[in-house]
Amino acid sequence: MYAFTYHKPSSVRQAAAMLAKNEDAKLLAGGHTLLPTMKQRLASPSALIDLGAMPELKGIERKGRSVVIGAMTRHGEVAESAVVREAIPGLAELAELIGDPHVRHRGTIGGSVANNDPSADYPAALLALDATVITNKRKIAADEFFQGLFVTALEEGEIVTKVSFPVAQKAAYAKFRNPASRYALAGVFVAKRGSDVRVAVTGASENGVFRWTAAEEALKARFTAKSLEGMAPSPDGMIGDIHADSAYRAHLVGVMARRAVQAATSR
Amino acid sequence: MTGTGIGAPVRRKEDQRFITGAGRYTDDLSRPGQAHAYFLRSPHAHAKILSIDTAAARAMPGVVAILTGDDLAADKIGGLICGWMIHSKDGSPMKAGPHPALAQGKVRYVGDHVAVVIADTYAQARDAAEAIEVAYEVLPAVVDARAAQKAGAPQVHDVADDNTVFRWHLGDKASTDAAFARAAHVTKIDLVNNRLVPNPMEPRAAVGEYDPGNESYTLFTTSQNPHVARLVLSAFIGVAPEHKLRVIAPDVGGGFGSKIFIYAEETVCVWAARKVGRPVRWTSDRTEAFLSDAHGRDHATHAELAMDENGKIIGLRAQTIANLGAYLSTFSSSVPTYLYAPLLSGSYDIPAIYAEVDGVYTNTAPVDAYRGAGRPEATFVVERLVEVAARELGMDPAKFRKRNYVKRFPHQTPVIMTYDAGDYGASMDKALELADYKGFSRRKRESARRGKLRGIGFSSYIEACGIAPSQAVGSLGAGVGLWESAEVRVNPTGSIEVLTGSHSHGQGHETTFAQLVCDRLGVPIENVIIVHGDTDKVQFGMGTYGSRSGAVGMSAIAKAIDKVIVKGKKVAAHVLEAAEADIEFKDGKFTVAGTDRGVGFADVALQAYIAHKFSGQDLEPGLKEGAFYDPTNFTFPAGVHICELEIDPDTGVTTIERWTAVDDFGVIINPMIVEGQVHGGIAQGVGQALHEGAIYDESGQLVTASFMDYRMPRAADLPSFQVGMTVTPCPSNPLGIKGCGEAGAIAAPAAVMNAITDALGHEDIAMPATPQAVWRAAQKNAAMRVAAE
């Protein structure tokens, strides 16, 4: 790790001002991607702006037909939240599957979403549940927010403050973990809301989280695992590495999609 | 047996400090005035060093010194050594290239040591290392041993043509070929024994310091054998005279073999401490550990088994290519030769065996002993061969093994070893019962109903431990003897300090060794302390590896205790005013035979030191005895492990459902610790079979250089183990101990792979059987079914 200065502002406005003044600065949420990268000397921000002291970024609440989660809410808090468990149990289950207990007690939803790691879990939930990312400047639909590997719609100086999830009738997440890192190697979130069905896939594509539209169409016809029998997305554009080549990954997406639908329909 | 004697499941004395964070590891030490070392490592697998420009780096804040291979050469510091000479079958000595602690003209693997920066802080040293400009001429690299032997492959060392260090063989080729010529059936397999990264929890570390007053050096280091480290650093590398170098290996957090060896980093820390006039410390980070700890295994083998018409094995032959990495590590040459091929008889009566082993240089990290060292590789060959042979012959694999077991002892194999005692059939019978082998087919059907593939696999391993008779290993090329030493110092109050040349880095010696003392001398366990790991305290020792601490290290202690008792009887005779021949010692008390007159051990100790009851001319005061113990044979732990697992063909995930281990370790000192060793060994063996594997890409970059890509076994991967024991005491040491530290890691890989291939119904899968590999193999199953229909 190289030396850096550390700031812990008490409001989003203050943080945004600091960010505007220092273009090499980085926002620090849970730190689970940024800090290891800094330790390996692969990132060297001149300053860290810690978002951990802002009550406005924390908390989970039910607002009408949505569940709104503050950006600095830890994965463990989402996993254990009675509000989330009741409204969108699949979302709580996803949070419970992230990393290990240490990670879940430090990592945050805002950090995960803003980083848009292709193997992160939350982007699949946002995309499948048609969530809205709320920043200090605007509201962005998940479909517009995630724009490829580590790329989002966030502009310079923009800070994620909340994520709003519409409540789905049926939703579930199934993940095949990378055997070593335990990140998603193929993670599929399925959600049914009214006549709309969305299937979002993380961990698998070279372009990051994506919607598997063929599966969506099949499930719109009938929301059952059988509808996806024998289906898998094309291996073209899938990540290939020592743990899973693109063909195996594509196959696993199909398996996980069926298991997610199975879970969603059996509660 | 007392409540803390031999056979008692005493809780580990050392765990209080380990689990409360009070352990004292090398990195915990802080020395006055210490400076920090950072090693600049090669980013290339193979390159000439054209120049190293340190000018800018030297000017950086806090930099004390930057040293390179030229400085080592100027100070006439020798290279690292390989301490076991292997001769090729043509009689020529192995072709070992130079192994400087800091590169001299060439780097040969990613992570090779180019320069060391010593600075006031670690961060400063690392910053300065980034400012060193090294001009490399990058050369083509070779990482696969078979590719390295091909014509035109990049040459790693000038001295070794075809990158081949030795072409060694063992056994009688003519009689083996004759057996194959008359065989009714021959089974052939090709196996890869995957390369592993040891990954002890504590990474390697070293602190070197120099005292100019008496011109002496101290090295604190993570070593399994500090005396051997001192010997090598003084006699061969020449950094300090042996009598002026103290090596201390304090608490050490695991080794699995990787801390046996004498590495570049500790060599440099000792040497540099004198050069800079300050203590020099270094602690490996995890990435450095992946890159530069000696790796394990990495064999490619073709093996064949010959059977007669009755299913009796009549011959075995094997050709193995062993990847030794870029340099020969301390004992690397012995691992694929004398620690491997002599075990190719397994637990079986095989009249003819012939093995050929090529040791090969590649542009990868050095490969050396790792938990089991050669014996897991041999067991994997034998147990896969036997399993496949049984399948091909249509015989039950348990019955096939029992038919071919060695049944009479001693048994001379055609490959050096004389098995001294065992009852392999008893272990098999007990394992079959514990594993409910009869119920397997029912469980397999039940799995099939759920769409799962269930398989069962055996591994009837044997190992040669307790290494070893010094004369024997000397005749095989070892540069050292493999005895052990002990000293039992009884204090005037009757408390006891036992100094041992064994080294504990997780094995629990502070408990088990104390149990022996309790058992023999009848003293409370809290009055016994085990001292190890310091060359200034313990006179000499050979260290801990090869499951030798119990069989060899404790035998030395037992021998010293016997001498203490003899001396104690002399003292007691004076105290009790009786003839020495009439004194008996039992349960901590010296008594006059046939009377009720006696004196306790502690009183005798006091009398020995105050020396009031005898003349110093008749008897030397004091109660302290030492012993060196050289074993008469290897020991031969053996057993049967049975793995039962289930495969999800949709994902390729393998779940181990049941694990049965029946081991014969001879006499057991502490069954709780032994069981723990079995558990850990199985976990490591399962890790090799299902998860672990070091992967270099073609350019020689280590792809699996962190836990993000190198998959370690986890507790959740494993079921609760069914552990059973059979006991045939070892006849070749006074305690009857065989050793238990490596058994699980030796047995497990074959058991897992035999179970996976049983579940799949074909043999076409290699370790590690990752989900991807298993899924692909299961796809082949589906394809086979389609073809059959």
Side-chain angles (χ1 to χ4, degrees):
Chain A
M1 198 177 267
Y2 296 100
F4 58 90
T5 57
Y6 173 80
H7 306 281
K8 196 167 189 181
S10 54
S11 71
V12 174
R13 179 184 294 269
Q14 234 181 345
M18 285 174 180
L19 202 52
K21 261 190 279 181
N22 186 347
E23 63 181 29
D24 288 337
K26 287 269 185 199
L27 297 173
L28 177 67
H32 272 68
T33 301
L34 181 57
L35 296 182
T37 313
M38 289 170 65
K39 283 182 184 172
Q40 290 168 5
R41 297 192 155 196
L42 299 172
S44 51
S46 58
L48 288 187
I49 301 166
D50 188 343
L51 300 176
M54 305 172 193
E56 61 191 297
L57 294 186
K58 289 184 180 152
I60 300 168
E61 58 181 331
R62 177 80 185 246
K63 276 193 173 168
R65 290 185 183 174
S66 293
V67 171
V68 181
I69 301 176
M72 285 297 289
T73 308
R74 315 276 178 200
H75 309 322
E77 292 165 348
V78 175
E80 286 163 18
S81 161
V83 172
V84 180
R85 289 247 162 223
E86 201 258 315
I88 319 173
L91 182 60
E93 286 160 12
L94 174 144
E96 199 170 20
L97 288 174
I98 300 173
D100 56 30
H102 300 77
V103 170
R104 290 195 289 277
H105 283 82
R106 288 299 307 169
T108 66
I109 187 169
S112 172
V113 166
N115 190 46
N116 191 18
D117 187 303
S119 300
D121 297 292
Y122 268 126
L126 267 71
L127 208 50
L129 289 165
D130 194 16
T132 301
V133 179
I134 300 163
T135 75
N136 57 337
K137 294 180 177 167
R138 58 188 168 138
K139 294 180 175 178
I140 312 167
D143 278 320
E144 274 81 56
F145 184 84
F146 299 108
Q147 300 186 344
L149 292 194
F150 300 103
V151 182
T152 66
L154 289 172
E155 293 165 356
E156 288 286 316
E158 192 166 13
I159 299 172
V160 176
T161 58
K162 290 181 170 66
V163 181
S164 175
F165 293 93
V167 175
Q169 281 123 5
K170 293 178 195 284
Y173 182 60
K175 167 161 77 168
F176 191 88
R177 289 185 168 92
N178 176 309
S181 71
R182 315 298 275 171
Y183 276 85
L185 193 148
V188 180
F189 202 106
V190 297
K192 177 172 167 40
R193 190 157 56 102
S195 59
D196 193 26
V197 173
R198 294 165 70 108
V199 178
V201 180
T202 190
S205 166
E206 288 173 341
N207 293 317
V209 67
F210 72 97
R211 283 175 62 187
W212 183 17
T213 48
E216 291 178 356
E217 292 310 315
L219 290 169
K220 275 179 195 164
R222 196 156 165 254
F223 194 78
T224 162
K226 274 219 163 62
S227 303
L228 302 178
E229 208 54 56
M231 284 181 70
S234 163
D236 292 344
M238 290 287 168
I239 297 169
D241 58 29
I242 58 169
H243 306 287
D245 63 18
S246 53
Y248 177 51
R249 257 197 176 77
H251 164 79
L252 285 176
V253 169
V255 176
M256 292 302 119
R258 287 188 283 281
R259 290 185 183 179
V261 175
Q262 187 69 42
T265 53
S266 61
R267 28 175 150 258
Chain B
M1 183 191 106
T2 67
T4 53
I6 290 175
V10 179
R11 286 204 184 176
R12 288 168 32 122
K13 292 176 75 174
E14 47 271 76
D15 282 351
Q16 177 70 24
R17 75 172 187 278
F18 291 152
I19 63 180
T20 58
R24 195 167 161 79
Y25 298 88
T26 299
D27 187 61
D28 294 325
L29 302 168
S30 181
R31 309 301 295 172
Q34 66 186 8
H36 296 257
Y38 181 83
F39 286 86
L40 178 66
R41 294 175 185 277
S42 172
H44 305 296
H46 199 194
K48 279 187 191 156
I49 298 174
L50 303 177
S51 65
I52 303 176
D53 183 352
T54 60
R58 277 175 207 279
M60 305 254 308
V63 173
V64 176
I66 299 177
L67 303 170
T68 68
D70 287 348
D71 299 299
L72 272 176
D75 284 2
K76 300 191 166 50
I77 302 298
L80 308 183
I81 62 152
C82 178
W84 198 304
M85 172 54 74
I86 296 298
H87 287 85
S88 288
K89 47 192 154 189
D90 66 6
S92 62
M94 66 184 186
K95 296 172 176 63
H99 189 181
L102 295 171
Q104 291 170 345
K106 203 176 176 193
V107 286
R108 293 181 173 86
Y109 69 102
V110 171
D112 204 352
H113 316 72
V114 175
V116 62
V117 182
I118 297 159
D120 291 339
T121 70
Y122 174 77
Q124 287 170 333
R126 197 169 168 181
D127 287 346
E130 289 180 1
I132 297 174
E133 287 182 32
V134 185
Y136 293 102
E137 179 190 331
V138 178
L139 303 169
V142 62
V143 299
D144 178 83
R146 288 161 291 188
Q149 285 191 306
K150 294 211 172 105
Q155 190 155 350
V156 182
H157 287 272
D158 294 342
V159 69
D161 290 335
D162 303 326
N163 293 309
T164 302
V165 181
F166 52 76
R167 295 180 193 277
W168 176 86
H169 68 159
L170 184 69
D172 183 354
K173 184 172 192 311
S175 67
T176 307
D177 287 347
F180 276 83
R182 68 169 187 275
H185 182 80
V186 174
T187 292
K188 301 178 180 184
I189 54 173
D190 288 283
L191 298 170
V192 169
N193 204 291
N194 42 328
R195 177 185 279 242
L196 304 175
V197 181
N199 276 316
M201 196 179 291
E202 179 208 23
R204 290 189 295 119
V207 183
E209 58 184 47
Y210 178 67
D211 177 349
N214 53 24
E215 299 176 314
S216 68
Y217 299 78
T218 303
L219 169 65
F220 300 88
T221 187
T222 49
S223 175
Q224 299 178 216
N225 44 353
H227 291 87
V228 177
R230 183 179 66 157
L231 178 64
V232 170
L233 286 166
S234 58
F236 297 95
I237 302 175
V239 287
E242 190 175 15
H243 62 300
K244 298 232 168 167
L245 173 60
R246 178 183 185 185
V247 178
I248 300 172
D251 284 334
V252 174
F256 310 116
S258 69
K259 291 172 181 167
I260 297 171
F261 322 122
I262 291 78
Y263 288 90
E265 291 87 355
E266 56 260 32
T267 303
V268 167
C269 284
V270 176
W271 166 64
R274 178 172 181 174
K275 283 193 95 69
V276 303
R278 292 167 64 174
V280 173
R281 66 178 299 137
W282 168 80
T283 300
S284 171
D285 68 23
R286 189 55 70 179
T287 304
E288 288 181 287
F290 272 101
L291 292 175
S292 70
D293 287 2
H295 293 177
R297 320 282 192 251
D298 206 343
H299 284 195
T301 296
H302 174 77
E304 302 182 354
L305 195 67
M307 275 73 62
D308 69 12
E309 55 284 351
N310 300 316
K312 170 77 187 68
I313 301 170
I314 56 173
L316 183 152
R317 57 190 176 196
Q319 293 168 304
T320 293
I321 314 276
N323 190 337
L324 301 176
Y327 300 97
L328 298 188
S329 173
T330 315
F331 289 108
S332 63
S333 55
S334 67
V335 177
T337 53
Y338 287 108
L339 295 179
Y340 165 70
L343 275 301
L344 286 174
S345 194
S347 325
Y348 309 103
D349 179 10
I350 306 180
I353 296 175
Y354 180 66
E356 294 174 292
V357 180
D358 289 1
V360 179
Y361 277 131
T362 61
N363 295 114
T364 61
V367 179
D368 206 324
Y370 170 65
R371 200 171 192 172
R375 291 151 293 167
E377 295 91 320
T379 297
F380 190 63
V381 169
V382 174
E383 288 303 300
R384 288 287 291 128
L385 259 181
V386 166
E387 190 87 17
V388 174
R391 287 171 189 167
E392 288 178 355
L393 295 172
M395 285 182 67
D396 176 84
K399 280 199 185 116
F400 181 69
R401 284 177 169 85
K402 287 176 76 169
R403 177 170 300 179
N404 284 288
Y405 275 153
V406 171
K407 294 176 188 88
R408 276 193 291 279
F409 297 89
H411 172 82
Q412 177 64 51
T413 75
V415 277
I416 300 175
M417 294 302 183
T418 309
Y419 297 168
D420 51 7
D423 186 347
Y424 310 141
S427 294
M428 176 60 90
D429 289 341
K430 189 164 181 179
L432 291 173
E433 190 190 325
L434 283 176
D436 184 23
Y437 186 51
K438 285 185 185 139
F440 172 71
S441 54
R442 176 179 47 77
R443 297 192 293 275
K444 188 176 175 78
R445 284 195 300 276
E446 193 277 322
S447 294
R449 275 196 292 278
R450 289 182 286 107
K452 302 291 196 321
L453 308 171
R454 186 174 278 254
I456 194 164
F458 294 82
S459 182
S460 185
Y461 75 97
I462 187 167
E463 48 173 332
C465 294
I467 52 175
S470 299
Q471 274 196 326
V473 295
S475 73
L476 304 179
V480 290
L482 286 170
W483 44 266
E484 195 47 87
S485 82
E487 191 175 306
V488 175
R489 297 179 181 172
V490 183
N491 295 320
T493 57
S495 66
I496 297 171
E497 294 158 30
V498 176
L499 285 71
T500 172
S502 296
H503 186 275
S504 187
H505 33 281
Q507 293 87 346
H509 295 174
E510 290 172 46
T511 307
T512 50
F513 288 14
Q515 286 181 249
L516 170 64
V517 178
C518 294
D519 196 87
R520 292 294 165 97
L521 296 179
V523 297
I525 197 164
E526 57 271 19
N527 287 4
V528 182
I529 187 166
I530 307 298
V531 178
H532 65 87
D534 184 343
T535 61
D536 263 14
K537 292 181 179 167
V538 180
Q539 187 245 330
F540 208 95
M542 294 312 299
T544 287
Y545 37 82
S547 304
R548 69 191 302 274
S549 299
V552 190
M554 287 180 77
S555 291
I557 296 172
K559 211 173 150 189
I561 288 172
D562 288 345
K563 293 184 185 177
V564 165
I565 293 170
V566 168
K567 175 78 180 283
K569 283 182 179 174
K570 291 183 199 289
V571 176
H574 284 281
V575 174
L576 297 168
E577 296 176 331
E580 188 189 328
D582 292 338
I583 302 294
E584 291 177 342
F585 181 69
K586 203 183 163 204
D587 297 334
K589 204 167 178 192
F590 294 90
T591 52
V592 181
T595 75
D596 58 357
R597 290 168 55 225
V599 57
F601 181 80
D603 289 333
V604 166
L606 183 64
Q607 291 298 336
Y609 281 96
I610 60 175
H612 292 171
K613 301 274 187 183
F614 54 88
S615 140
Q617 279 66 51
D618 292 343
L619 185 63
E620 279 183 27
L623 194 52
K624 180 191 88 164
E625 298 291 345
F628 286 69
Y629 174 77
D630 203 336
T632 57
N633 192 359
F634 292 83
T635 68
F636 298 96
V640 175
H641 286 221
I642 302 178
C643 168
E644 188 171 326
L645 50 75
E646 201 176 72
I647 291 170
D648 176 355
D650 285 346
T651 59
V653 169
T654 299
T655 308
I656 295 176
E657 297 287 337
R658 302 160 76 101
W659 194 286
T660 307
V662 176
D663 299 289
D664 179 359
F665 298 133
V667 172
I668 286 168
I669 306 297
N670 183 322
M672 180 195 71
I673 288 178
V674 167
E675 205 168 309
Q677 287 281 346
V678 172
H679 291 183
I682 294 169
Q684 258 170 318
V686 168
Q688 165 159 32
L690 293 182
H691 311 306
E692 300 182 53
I695 299 172
Y696 285 92
D697 69 15
E698 282 186 6
S699 72
Q701 295 294 328
L702 183 61
V703 179
T704 51
S706 81
F707 291 130
M708 291 293 280
D709 284 305
Y710 189 89
R711 197 319 196 170
M712 294 290 281
R714 297 181 170 86
D717 298 329
L718 302 160
S720 287
F721 305 114
Q722 282 268 10
V723 178
M725 302 285 169
T726 57
V727 176
T728 59
C730 177
S732 62
N733 65 64
L735 298 172
I737 293 173
K738 296 187 179 181
C740 67
E742 296 158 294
I746 290 170
V752 173
M753 296 311 290
N754 285 337
I756 285 187
T757 50
D758 179 51
L760 291 171
H762 66 77
E763 309 294 335
D764 192 15
I765 186 165
M767 297 193 293
T770 61
Q772 173 168 238
V774 172
W775 175 72
R776 198 139 272 137
Q779 294 297 106
K780 186 177 169 181
N781 272 41
M784 283 161 58
R785 272 198 303 276
V786 170
E789 285 158 12

